[in-house]
Amino acid sequence: MRAPVGVWATEAEQRPRATDGRAPDVFSRDGHVPMRQFEDGEDVDFAIVGTGCGGGVLAAKLAEAGLSVVAFDAGPFWRPLADFASDEREQDKVYWLDERLSDGDDPIELGSNNSGRCVGGSTVHFQMVALRFRPEWFAARSRLGYAVDWPVDWRTMWRYYAEVEDALKISGPVSYPWGPDRGRYPYRAHEVNAAGLVLARGAEALGVPWAATPLATVSAPRGKSPPCVYRGFCKIGCSTNAKQSVLVTYIPRALAAGAEIRDLAMVGRIESAGDGRVTGVHYHRDGQWRFQRARNVVVSGYSIETPRLLLNSATDRFPDGLANGSGTVGRYLMVHSNHAVWARFEEEIRWYKGPPSMAVCEHWNYVDDHPTKDFDGGYAFMSQGPLPVDFAKALVSNTGTFGTALRNRMAEYNHMAGLKIVGETMPQAENRVTLDEETDALGLRRARVTFSYADNDKRLFRHSLGFMKRMIEAAGGFDAYETSSTAHLMGGCRMGHSPEDSVTDADGRTWDVPNLWICDGSLMPTAGGVNPSMTILANAARIADRMKALAARGELAARHA
Amino acid sequence: MSETFLAPYPDYDVLAKWDTPSWNEQTREVMAHRLREVPGRRFFDEEEWAVLVAVCERVVPQPERAEPVPIAPWIDAALFEGRGTGTHFATLPSGPEAWRRGLESIDREARARHGCGFAALDATRRDDILEAVDAGDVDAAIWRDLPARTFFRHLLLEQIVALYYVHPDAQSEIGFGGPASPRGYVRLGPDRLDEWEAPAAAKRP
């Protein structure tokens, strides 16, 4: 369908690997594991679109409960040990590089900035920062006076955070300075690298707490995953399997429990019947369009592709797209502001060693009343370790530096350190995904992504820049400069309390179509000031249990009800 | 921009680790392709190509190298192969069109100011034009609705540095560890080095 991006293992980008009753063994260089397969005409309990934090978890937990599951992913099924190189350009192959239109007052960068395209989804490239929401954020409106409340209680989420932290064997500190008790992390924290120690030194100088970042890469052996060797290429795919991505955790579980994974399978349309229920998905694989029948369809394509698929599945009965009676599909899209302060240091930091963010400060997520706090919501910030291209792109796009001056700035790479926020943005109806007139290679209308910061968002990142500059200078940094960018995607099909202003109920079931579900980051009603992956995973684990309970009570269109 | 490059790690070469545990088979394959199979011009026409090469020479000047790190061929190849970045900023035309129009505008800007094409200008005049493009201080009749700074920073500069800093010579010059798998690092603290890293640089001014 499209030219391979990489030069190595291009066959994974050109031909499906999960076929003939077997799927790639992700812990091998060229081996397989057995895989159950279903006929297109077989009415499976669940067709799941996407295999990342949402779909991967669901596929495993539902299959383990004896339900029949086929999970589709538009991208390849990698074997990291054999397929992943230590090379920033080659590894572009893990990202969603098909063009999406980006507009608004503050158009966001997509692609490698926030969008994965492979089995395992964005966890294949995530930087493994494993944080929990602050409990009050689940009731942001009633407890803190901004945005909206989640339809889920924080204590419920707390239990599921523990479940997914155990599933990914998070390596974290003995005690975490912020929020209620969270028990012990399954694995011990990693040694903090020099870049992280800059944050630690600065935090101590300013009198705020810091912590070794809880990370989804193991600090000791786990099954076939070796401990992290601190190679530092985490953001472009881990080639040792130390990283506990969905690809090496939930996907093997799903396969072992009898789920089928279909790689290189782009779902283009959800079919709905005259009674308003959905009947399956049209998907493109191996050069042809096919149709998989299903009793339930779950969309887990993340904040751009999930609304895009719902909108592209419009019918006469649902002219504005499936599950869009409220007009909310695609709306309330959020990012994290990702502003940073960088500085030079006398000593060599060599931030390329180890995971990029080994130290974290959540101080401003937990302070509500402070004379300088002129914004709602919060932000965490972390130490940094960008690879050369990543660092150079931030430098040139923010400063316009070129020529010998650019080479000299880049030659300070080993003396640099940085602090960068994950800053909450407000849910705004006008920040949204719509369909562009232009179509992609499969004839599917492309996504148009519209984003503008709210005034509150700007106050928040300005506050962070001032605080981080003080901190990095207190740590001994000089020649400080700032950059701006965004990270992560949240919302776009939010869950809520009412069909008037949300797409699904608390179970991820769409208000309009009883056997159509959503399970991914697009459900998030607010963004919080932490990396979203653990929240998406925990929410998916919770939704899986709700689906199992509903199935047991006969309230789900499932064979095993 | 007459300063000289200071080369903090003059004796370090990431390629020296080719046959060590820092490099795996797939990385060697990828790097061999990059070093040995530099593609020819297929996307741009001769005029556009000349401008692109002249721009690359000023964005990353490499006067000390007999064989400069090739950049323009890979930009051409990506456009020829239709390789996207995932983002199409609505203020710009699509990738291939934005590149053609941006380079043409730079060249026309040179002709308007100096009466000859960008590639025929000396280094100082080329730099002046690039600085003007970055500042948006350009002839609106030439650039029309193409936003000069967005094109310059988000397409041109970002793609050039993305191709330069994946080359071993560029990684060596900044003292980056280079490819690292299966072997990573042991010593993580400040001023701590494993023996397979670049020796500590001389103190910078």
Side-chain angles (χ1 to χ4, degrees):
Chain A
M1 154 189 154
R2 58 179 226 174
V5 172
V7 303
W8 178 262
T10 56
E11 114 283 346
E13 298 181 68
Q14 292 173 312
R15 280 188 305 280
R17 279 179 164 178
T19 56
D20 303 323
R22 58 187 205 167
D25 175 0
V26 294
F27 292 104
S28 75
R29 295 185 60 81
D30 54 8
H32 294 84
V33 294
M35 180 177 76
R36 184 178 172 192
Q37 284 185 271
F38 298 89
E39 297 293 327
D40 279 343
E42 192 173 345
D43 212 7
V44 295
D45 291 328
F46 285 91
I48 302 174
V49 185
T51 62
C53 285
V57 172
L58 270 194
K61 291 190 66 164
L62 295 177
E64 285 167 352
L67 295 157
S68 55
V69 173
V70 177
F72 300 82
D73 202 285
F77 203 143
W78 300 114
R79 291 185 189 92
L81 298 181
D83 298 337
F84 287 178
S86 306
D87 187 86
E88 284 182 270
R89 190 153 181 88
E90 169 73 11
Q91 292 301 117
D92 277 349
K93 65 191 180 186
V94 305
Y95 301 120
W96 193 285
L97 299 179
D98 287 348
E99 282 201 350
R100 295 144 161 177
L101 212 61
S102 181
D103 68 9
D105 295 342
D106 304 287
I108 59 178
E109 187 189 340
L110 300 155
S112 64
N113 195 42
N114 49 25
S115 302
R117 187 180 175 274
C118 55
V119 175
S122 293
T123 62
V124 172
H125 74 251
F126 80 155
Q127 300 189 61
M128 313 170 300
V129 173
L131 303 180
R132 298 184 182 188
F133 256 41
R134 175 182 167 182
E136 288 84 348
W137 292 341
F138 293 105
R141 169 56 62 188
S142 45
R143 298 285 301 276
L144 299 169
Y146 71 89
V148 291
D149 290 355
W150 287 48
V152 185
D153 186 80
W154 77 270
R155 282 158 294 214
T156 305
M157 288 297 290
W158 226 241
R159 287 202 303 279
Y160 285 100
Y161 278 124
E163 176 180 318
V164 296
E165 284 169 0
D166 189 60
L168 269 54
K169 297 296 182 210
I170 301 301
S171 301
V174 171
S175 64
Y176 194 69
W178 303 278
D181 179 56
R182 56 187 62 187
R184 293 287 286 269
Y185 283 104
Y187 276 42
R188 66 174 292 168
H190 294 272
E191 177 190 343
V192 175
N193 65 3
L197 293 176
V198 166
L199 184 149
R201 205 158 64 221
E204 284 159 6
L206 296 192
V208 297
W210 69 278
T213 310
L215 292 169
T217 179
V218 285
S219 53
R222 177 203 188 183
K224 292 175 179 171
S225 283
C228 177
V229 295
Y230 308 117
R231 55 187 288 268
F233 287 80
C234 322
K235 192 185 172 182
I236 59 171
C238 177
S239 59
T240 72
N241 282 335
K243 175 191 277 193
Q244 299 299 289
S245 66
V246 169
L247 177 63
V248 306
T249 55
Y250 283 99
I251 295 297
R253 268 175 63 180
L255 290 166
E260 178 179 352
I261 307 289
R262 292 194 191 144
D263 56 333
L264 299 185
M266 176 69 183
V267 174
R269 181 178 179 83
I270 301 165
E271 186 66 40
S272 45
D275 63 356
R277 300 172 68 85
V278 295
T279 56
V281 297
H282 297 274
Y283 67 101
H284 190 271
R285 197 184 196 205
D286 245 348
Q288 57 177 320
W289 284 102
R290 308 177 67 96
F291 180 69
Q292 174 67 51
R293 292 180 57 81
R295 294 160 190 255
N296 294 275
V297 172
V298 188
V299 189
S300 301
Y302 206 12
S303 293
I304 312 289
E305 294 305 315
T306 288
R308 180 186 178 210
L309 178 57
L310 295 176
L311 295 172
N312 266 327
S313 300
T315 63
D316 289 344
R317 185 187 176 109
F318 300 112
D320 300 321
L322 284 184
N324 199 20
S326 63
T328 311
V329 168
R331 291 189 184 272
Y332 302 102
L333 177 73
M334 295 164 286
V335 298
H336 283 126
S337 51
N338 207 213
H339 293 59
V341 174
W342 314 87
R344 280 171 64 191
F345 285 78
E346 283 297 334
E347 69 267 31
E348 284 194 324
I349 306 288
R350 299 197 185 231
W351 55 6
Y352 55 81
K353 297 188 281 187
S357 295
M358 302 195 80
V360 59
C361 178
E362 276 204 69
H363 179 69
W364 291 103
N365 274 337
Y366 286 85
V367 171
D368 294 319
D369 298 307
H370 187 275
T372 69
K373 187 168 185 285
D374 58 350
F375 55 88
D376 289 325
Y379 63 85
F381 60 91
M382 278 143 264
S383 58
Q384 297 297 304
L387 292 168
V389 168
D390 210 19
F391 181 56
K393 284 168 78 169
L395 180 65
V396 298
S397 64
N398 279 277
T399 67
T401 305
F402 70 91
T404 306
L406 167 64
R407 286 181 76 194
N408 280 329
R409 291 284 290 274
M410 284 299 295
E412 292 159 0
Y413 182 76
N414 283 346
H415 287 266
M416 298 298 298
L419 303 174
K420 189 185 243 192
I421 62 165
V422 170
E424 184 164 7
T425 64
M426 293 294 121
Q428 301 181 76
E430 294 313 308
N431 286 340
R432 60 189 296 206
V433 177
T434 51
L435 295 179
D436 190 47
E437 287 306 317
E438 231 183 279
T439 55
D440 67 11
L442 292 178
L444 304 169
R445 288 174 69 184
R446 293 185 188 278
R448 173 186 286 263
V449 181
T450 304
F451 184 81
S452 308
Y453 280 121
D455 288 343
N456 186 80
D457 306 337
K458 295 176 186 175
R459 289 196 297 273
L460 181 148
F461 66 65
R462 282 191 202 115
H463 182 279
S464 78
L465 289 168
F467 188 76
M468 292 190 296
K469 183 158 187 287
R470 277 174 58 210
M471 185 181 277
I472 207 162
E473 287 175 346
F478 52 95
D479 293 348
Y481 70 97
E482 299 170 352
T483 60
S484 64
S485 60
T486 72
H488 313 135
L489 299 164
M490 287 117 335
C493 282
R494 69 181 184 182
M495 58 182 183
H497 295 90
S498 154
E500 302 295 309
D501 61 3
S502 60
V503 181
T504 82
D505 65 13
D507 300 334
R509 182 189 289 217
T510 62
W511 294 110
D512 300 355
V513 185
N515 65 338
L516 175 62
W517 310 71
I518 294 169
C519 183
D520 60 19
S522 65
L523 290 177
M524 292 173 70
T526 60
V530 293
N531 310 55
S533 52
M534 298 310 286
T535 301
I536 303 170
L537 289 162
N539 199 38
R542 181 186 66 81
I543 287 173
D545 282 355
R546 285 290 300 154
M547 288 171 163
K548 283 153 49 181
L550 291 168
R553 294 211 304 259
E555 294 173 24
L556 192 68
R559 258 183 318 206
H560 303 276
Chain B
M1 301 247 172
S2 57
E3 54 189 312
T4 52
F5 178 60
L6 299 171
Y9 303 94
D11 302 321
Y12 170 69
D13 184 1
V14 297
L15 288 176
K17 292 190 261 190
W18 186 280
D19 288 318
T20 73
S22 289
W23 288 57
N24 57 22
E25 182 189 356
Q26 56 268 32
T27 303
R28 282 190 285 264
E29 171 88 5
V30 167
M31 206 61 90
H33 174 79
R34 181 165 305 137
L35 296 175
R36 291 166 200 162
E37 295 173 50
V38 179
R41 174 178 66 81
R42 291 169 292 175
F43 175 80
F44 291 111
D45 66 26
E46 277 184 44
E47 275 183 56
E48 293 162 342
W49 176 259
V51 180
L52 176 63
V53 169
V55 169
C56 291
E57 280 174 11
R58 295 317 304 157
V59 172
V60 188
Q62 307 173 62
E64 79 283 14
R65 289 199 176 106
E67 287 184 52
V69 170
I71 297 170
W74 296 109
I75 293 174
D76 183 286
L79 291 166
F80 181 79
E81 291 160 9
R83 172 178 171 148
T85 62
T87 313
H88 173 188
F89 290 113
T91 53
L92 292 174
S94 72
E97 178 64 16
W99 275 96
R100 287 196 200 280
R101 275 192 56 195
L103 292 174
E104 186 203 353
S105 299
I106 288 173
D107 202 42
R108 289 183 58 196
E109 195 73 36
R111 291 180 197 281
R113 291 177 186 222
H114 304 293
C116 65
F118 184 83
L121 297 178
D122 64 25
T124 308
R125 284 181 167 158
R126 283 192 212 170
D127 289 354
D128 287 346
I129 287 178
L130 296 181
E131 281 171 11
V133 171
D134 185 50
D137 183 16
V138 293
D139 187 342
I142 292 173
W143 290 75
R144 302 194 307 274
D145 61 339
L146 187 71
R149 170 176 281 192
T150 305
F151 165 73
F152 185 67
R153 291 190 178 187
H154 292 283
L155 276 191
L156 201 141
L157 289 187
E158 284 200 31
Q159 287 305 304
I160 290 176
V161 298
L163 290 160
Y164 183 67
Y165 287 104
V166 291
H167 195 281
D169 290 353
Q171 299 188 344
S172 299
E173 81 180 24
I174 64 171
F176 172 56
S181 184
R183 181 175 64 185
Y185 303 99
V186 177
R187 296 167 179 85
L188 304 181
D191 283 332
R192 298 294 308 279
L193 288 185
D194 290 321
E195 65 170 10
W196 54 92
E197 297 186 69
K203 285 286 179 198
R204 296 175 55 80

